[in-house]
Amino acid sequence: MRSSSDSPASLPIIDITFDSKPPRKSAARNTIIVMLGTLGSRLSGLVRQGVINTFPPALTDAFLVASRVPNLLRELLAEGALVNSFIPVYKSLPDADRRKLAGAVTGVLIAVNLLLLAFGVLAAPLLADLLLSAKPNVDRDTVVYMTRLVMPFLMLVSLYAIAMGILNADEHFRESSFGPIAFNIATIAMLLVLPHSATWLAVGWIVGGVAQLLIQIPALRKYGLLPRPSLRGHRALRRVLVNMVPFTLTAGARQFLNLVVTNFLSSSQFPRGTITGYANAETIFQMSMGLFVMSPALAIFPRFAALRAEGDWKTFRALTLSTIRSVVFLSAPISALLCVLAPYAVSVLMFSGDATGDKFRAGSLILSTWSLALVPWGINTILLRTFYAREKTREAVAISAVSFVCEVGLYALLTPAQRLGLAGFGVASTIMGIATCVALTAMYRAQLGFPLKQLFAYLARVLPLALVAGLIAWAVTRVLPQPGRPVPGALGFGVASAIGLAAYLGLAVALRVPEVSGVTRRLLRR
């Protein structure tokens, strides 16, 4: 039972630019490190996607379908599920037990990945049939061949995930944040020098995975955290595995969604190149999510876990609201700008110069509506981390799973050509993002209390500013060169978004939005 001084309405707004406890690293410093790593990763990812776009659409479509297989399994076993379930348990153990747990988790991962590697190679034809529609616009034999080639990527990304989890748990974010940059650079280098064939496209991907993993090893050794794989088990291993189950179910629902999307886009009702266009839009959207949402979420997650271990729920709730406010402040204008500048953003990836092709049109249309989902799913990302930090995943995961299933239903309702077509993807994602946000907020409030009035008041101030920024950017495009190629696209997006963001920040200063001063202080400190 909370005292009146501990009520949601009385919660202070925590500025995450500093921390009152000296032994911990600055949350803002961690956030900046992760954001810089994410920025480098996403920018180099744009270049990587642009290089992939120079390959023939028939080849890139097949590759993107094939790479869904290890990406599906890595969601189930590695990155999200493993990191979010591993860190809270790891943080709760004495130092000596932490290394033993890390070794046990690594040993189990290696064993499971070896089995999945064999399964993926042997069952590649079955997996291809599962991913492709009955009358596909993608060559099935090429998908089967490339699926077998890219399966080792799962082992590499799983080992990278455990390395990232260990480093992040001790708040060493630099090396893990810059791992994806190594992946992109290595992949780009391979794709630039190798022939444009199915074999070398897949090999370039694997080489990138090796580079991403290897760059973590020096940091693990430096801090004495390099795990020794073991199958002897550990008393806390069961907690990690039990915590992973809900994450795996959620990831399974999300990957079911991806499976439906891939199957839908591979239908012969869409022209060849539509899958690549979707991937282009996804690359830009994920860059925005990674930079303005996932970076703060990853950096603040260990702090949530530590507050939970201390039982400091008042600070926990205040930190939740502060982080959500920061994420909304950063993501709202980006959402508006991507909505109106989608063709310019997609043009940056058109290294092939295919300005009028199907993949350009598909990517622009999908991104223009998908961008609307950035704010609601940004809030959901932070709320979900608060449940994971408290090891209360069952309810949150159930809501997420239901959300993904409902999103599939909305896809079926909205995406037929006679309705919204490809634009239906973004509309469906936005609707379910808002619904999920309502459900998670209600659950959080029931368990810990939540200052809804403060959050609604903040959204009412910030979202109109983002709308104004988007309208100004759209007006600027009226006098800019038409998009379709990298240089005009980058020029148009840069100029229009800069003017839109300047208007957004100017209005935020005029309305005295607290996050403006926070951002200014962080920039001045760097």
Side-chain angles (χ1 to χ4, degrees):
M1 183 174 181
R2 300 188 305 271
S3 64
S4 59
S5 63
D6 197 26
S7 64
S10 65
L11 293 179
I13 299 300
I14 292 182
D15 185 349
I16 62 172
T17 58
F18 66 91
D19 191 349
S20 59
K21 298 184 179 182
R24 291 179 182 168
K25 296 182 180 180
S26 164
R29 176 180 179 274
N30 290 342
T31 302
I32 293 295
I33 290 173
V34 176
M35 288 185 72
L36 289 174
T38 304
L39 177 62
S41 167
R42 300 304 179 177
L43 289 176
S44 58
L46 290 178
V47 177
R48 185 200 71 215
Q49 187 64 25
V51 173
I52 289 176
N53 278 325
T54 63
F55 285 68
L59 191 56
T60 57
D61 282 357
F63 168 73
L64 291 167
V65 173
S67 63
R68 284 288 185 193
V69 178
N71 283 335
L72 183 154
L73 294 172
R74 83 170 180 178
E75 283 273 351
L76 298 178
L77 291 176
E79 294 178 344
L82 177 61
V83 172
N84 288 317
S85 58
F86 173 77
I87 288 180
V89 178
Y90 182 88
K91 292 281 284 187
S92 70
L93 298 175
D95 289 344
D97 273 349
R98 290 180 179 183
R99 294 195 64 182
K100 293 179 181 178
L101 174 63
V105 172
T106 304
V108 170
L109 266 182
I110 292 174
V112 172
N113 271 276
L114 288 173
L115 294 175
L116 289 175
L117 174 60
F119 169 77
V121 171
L122 296 174
L126 176 63
L127 294 171
D129 291 336
L130 190 65
L131 289 166
L132 297 174
S133 65
K135 296 180 179 179
N137 56 15
V138 182
D139 183 69
R140 178 185 177 275
D141 291 340
T142 305
V143 171
V144 171
Y145 175 69
M146 298 189 81
T147 298
R148 288 170 170 157
L149 289 178
V150 299
M151 277 305 298
F153 180 74
L154 177 61
M155 173 72 80
L156 297 169
V157 78
S158 295
L159 293 177
Y160 164 73
I162 188 61
M164 178 177 66
I166 294 170
L167 290 169
N168 286 2
D170 282 353
E171 302 195 31
H172 300 299
F173 292 98
R174 182 176 58 190
E175 293 79 5
S176 59
S177 297
F178 288 89
I181 299 178
F183 168 81
N184 289 328
I185 291 175
T187 303
I188 292 167
M190 294 294 291
L191 296 184
L192 286 176
V193 300
L194 295 174
H196 284 195
S197 68
T199 300
W200 294 116
L201 181 54
V203 169
W205 200 257
I206 297 300
V207 171
V210 172
Q212 180 177 242
L213 174 61
L214 291 180
I215 200 172
Q216 312 300 311
I217 304 301
L220 291 171
R221 287 179 173 171
K222 175 182 177 181
Y223 299 115
L225 299 173
L226 186 65
R228 295 181 178 180
S230 172
L231 293 177
R232 295 180 180 178
H234 186 275
R235 59 184 178 83
L237 178 60
R238 185 176 181 275
R239 284 175 59 195
V240 175
L241 297 178
V242 168
N243 286 345
M244 281 184 68
V245 171
F247 290 107
T248 301
L249 293 175
T250 302
R254 181 166 55 248
Q255 292 306 323
F256 174 69
L257 179 67
N258 287 334
L259 187 152
V260 171
V261 170
T262 303
N263 189 280
F264 178 75
L265 293 175
S266 68
S267 170
S268 57
Q269 67 174 306
F270 296 108
R272 180 169 290 175
T274 301
I275 291 178
T276 304
Y278 180 91
N280 290 339
E282 185 178 36
T283 298
I284 296 170
F285 181 82
Q286 291 300 333
M287 173 182 176
S288 304
M289 277 289 291
L291 184 58
F292 301 108
V293 176
M294 291 306 300
S295 294
L298 286 171
I300 213 69
F301 184 53
R303 193 65 47 86
F304 278 129
L307 290 172
R308 177 258 183 187
E310 296 166 5
D312 189 352
W313 299 115
K314 181 177 180 179
T315 305
F316 189 100
R317 290 191 296 272
L319 184 60
T320 301
L321 180 59
S322 175
T323 307
I324 288 175
R325 286 169 56 116
S326 297
V327 166
V328 170
F329 181 76
L330 294 170
S331 62
I334 303 303
S335 173
L337 293 173
L338 286 178
C339 180
V340 300
L341 301 176
Y344 287 91
V346 172
S347 296
V348 176
L349 302 179
M350 304 307 295
F351 286 16
S352 62
D354 186 12
T356 60
D358 294 309
K359 62 182 176 182
F360 172 71
R361 289 191 292 269
S364 300
L365 181 57
I366 292 170
L367 181 61
S368 64
T369 55
W370 208 354
S371 61
L372 300 175
L374 190 61
V375 171
W377 282 111
I379 296 174
N380 292 338
T381 299
I382 302 303
L383 289 174
L384 286 169
R385 293 306 184 280
T386 67
F387 285 90
Y388 302 158
R390 293 181 289 133
E391 297 187 54
K392 292 186 178 294
T393 58
R394 186 175 302 173
E395 302 93 336
V397 164
I399 289 177
S400 298
V402 171
S403 173
F404 289 127
V405 173
C406 291
E407 193 167 338
V408 170
L410 285 177
Y411 283 170
L413 181 66
L414 299 176
T415 55
Q418 62 271 27
R419 294 176 182 169
L420 297 181
L422 295 175
F425 287 109
V427 175
S429 184
T430 302
I431 292 172
M432 289 315 305
I434 295 172
T436 304
C437 186
V438 171
L440 288 173
T441 302
M443 187 180 300
Y444 185 108
R445 189 182 187 192
Q447 295 176 354
L448 295 178
F450 192 83
L452 283 176
K453 290 183 179 179
Q454 292 183 38
L455 178 58
F456 288 152
Y458 185 76
L459 292 174
R461 295 176 69 189
V462 171
L463 295 183
L465 304 185
L467 177 61
V468 172
L471 291 174
I472 291 174
W474 174 83
V476 172
T477 64
R478 302 301 91 188
V479 297
L480 292 176
Q482 289 297 310
R485 295 181 180 275
V487 174
L491 176 64
F493 186 83
V495 171
S497 61
I499 295 174
L501 285 175
Y504 176 78
L505 292 175
L507 291 170
V509 169
L511 293 178
R512 298 183 179 180
V513 177
E515 280 67 24
V516 178
S517 59
V519 170
T520 303
R521 287 199 303 271
R522 292 172 202 175
L523 292 176
L524 291 176
R525 288 179 183 180
R526 297 302 175 265

